[in-house]
């Protein structure tokens, strides 16, 4: 993942709106962002659903007002390309992510990541990078593991 932070534009925030502009994601993808962020962050999410009657801009505005979000994290498809040849050819998707301060409209974090044919980048990977880049504070919440008691 390649990232860039504009530290002088980075606001203090606790409420984040995650917007997926990806063409197709699993039903559980966006809700998993709510458990990926450190304690103290309120996360809401909205996606570009083909069956929604609202435009994406309308859905974003409604969710932003409901959640009182201070920043928005947008995940978007950038490009698709193939590498290799013959039976060794692989398809890759490049995703673009950006965080914007909603009070100024200015971006303060950007990232490009390449995935091997998948549209989704794990939310925990994004949050880990945001912590590493000092965009958010805290530590990764522990992943819940479910053990059988048979």
């Amino acid at each position: 993942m390649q990232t860039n932070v504009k530290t002088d534009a980075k606001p203090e925030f606790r409420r984040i709106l995650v917007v997926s502009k990806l063409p197709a994601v699993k039903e559980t993808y966006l809700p998993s962002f709510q458990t990926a962020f450190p304690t103290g962050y309120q996360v809401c999410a909205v996606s570009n659903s083909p069956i929604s009657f609202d435009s994406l801009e309308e859905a974003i505005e409604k969710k932003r007002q409901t959640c009182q979000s201070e920043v928005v994290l947008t995940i978007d498809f950038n490009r698709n390309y193939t590498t290799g040849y013959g039976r060794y050819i692989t398809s890759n998707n490049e995703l673009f992510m950006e965080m914007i301060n909603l009070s100024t409209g200015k971006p303060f974090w950007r990232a490009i990541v390449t995935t091997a044919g998948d549209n989704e980048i794990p939310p925990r990977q994004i949050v880990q990078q945001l912590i590493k880049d000092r965009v958010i504070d805290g530590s990764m919440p522990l992943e819940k593991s479910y053990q059988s008691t048979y």
Side-chain angles (χ1 to χ4, degrees):
M1 185 181 305
Q2 297 174 353
T3 62
N4 193 8
V5 182
K6 191 172 185 180
T7 50
D8 60 332
K10 185 180 90 62
E12 290 294 320
F13 62 92
R14 289 290 169 188
R15 293 186 303 278
I16 304 160
L17 176 60
V18 178
V19 175
S20 170
K21 293 184 177 180
L22 300 175
V25 292
K26 293 180 195 105
E27 223 175 89
T28 57
Y29 182 63
L30 285 174
S32 62
F33 274 94
Q34 294 171 333
T35 56
F37 276 84
T39 305
Y41 286 94
Q42 178 191 342
V43 181
C44 291
V46 67
S47 70
N48 188 15
S49 173
I51 60 170
S52 175
F53 289 107
D54 289 334
S55 70
L56 181 59
E57 289 72 26
E58 290 170 327
I60 290 169
E61 187 55 31
K62 282 180 184 176
K63 198 61 119 161
R64 186 184 75 75
Q65 288 178 2
T66 302
C67 299
Q68 296 295 303
S69 303
E70 300 159 310
V71 299
V72 63
L73 167 61
T74 305
I75 306 164
D76 202 353
F77 181 79
N78 195 43
R79 68 184 179 122
N80 174 275
Y81 61 94
T82 55
T83 56
Y85 57 92
R87 68 180 195 189
Y88 302 106
I89 198 163
T90 57
S91 176
N92 299 294
N93 288 326
E94 190 175 85
L95 304 179
F96 173 70
M97 294 176 286
E98 180 175 61
M99 283 189 94
I100 295 173
N101 179 343
L102 287 170
S103 64
T104 64
K106 296 191 184 214
F108 59 91
W109 182 81
R110 288 185 172 154
I112 291 276
V113 65
T114 302
T115 63
D118 196 5
N119 266 353
E120 298 172 5
I121 177 167
R124 290 181 64 83
Q125 187 178 342
I126 296 169
V127 171
Q128 204 164 25
Q129 189 64 48
L130 289 168
I131 292 170
K132 183 179 172 188
D133 289 345
R134 298 176 188 227
V135 172
I136 61 173
D137 301 319
S139 55
M140 292 289 298
L142 295 175
E143 273 193 277
K144 293 185 171 114
S145 60
Y146 299 96
Q147 293 182 328
S148 176
T149 54
Y150 294 108

